[in-house]
Amino acid sequence: MAAMKAFRLDDLEAERAANDGAYLQFLRERNMSVGLYGLDAGAHDPQQPHGQDEVYFVVSGRASITVGLETTEVARGSVIYVPAGVAHKFHHISEDLRVLVVFSPPEA
């Protein structure tokens, strides 16, 4: 039987910031991977389309996201599904953005 894994968002954010990267993968299992993505206000989102389905859960901040040809505003509590292979970017980031990201299958 697999053991439970538990995480605290504050700890993950501190580790992400300490590693000078926008993205911190903190869980990788057979069928999924999970990470924390951070973009500060005014930042540029360099993402390219991924080969996996993806779900974003906005933990904090405010921005817009464009997925394919559709754009919507996001803030704390927003959940966005991005199909594999579809272009997407956060933009007009008005408050530091912190987003939990779930990839299925795991990010390559």
Side-chain angles (χ1 to χ4, degrees):
M1 183 188 316
M4 178 179 76
K5 296 178 182 175
F7 305 90
R8 289 190 62 248
L9 199 55
D10 290 349
D11 295 340
L12 296 172
E13 173 59 14
E15 184 178 347
R16 186 199 66 79
N19 288 328
D20 291 329
Y23 186 70
L24 171 72
Q25 179 179 280
F26 62 88
L27 181 66
R28 184 178 183 88
E29 298 294 336
R30 187 168 54 87
N31 294 317
M32 64 187 290
S33 61
V34 185
L36 179 64
Y37 192 40
L39 293 166
D40 290 342
H44 168 74
D45 182 1
Q47 290 192 83
Q48 298 297 318
H50 307 287
Q52 304 83 8
D53 286 341
E54 188 176 13
V55 173
Y56 289 115
F57 173 72
V58 178
V59 175
S60 62
R62 290 187 175 278
S64 294
I65 187 172
T66 298
V67 178
L69 300 175
E70 298 178 276
T71 298
T72 190
E73 293 183 6
V74 296
R76 182 174 60 86
S78 297
V79 179
I80 305 99
Y81 167 68
V82 180
V86 175
H88 58 286
K89 291 221 185 297
F90 290 101
H91 52 92
H92 296 91
I93 301 167
S94 59
E95 294 176 14
D96 293 355
L97 194 63
R98 299 298 179 262
V99 183
L100 280 177
V101 187
V102 179
F103 287 103
S104 181
E107 187 181 27

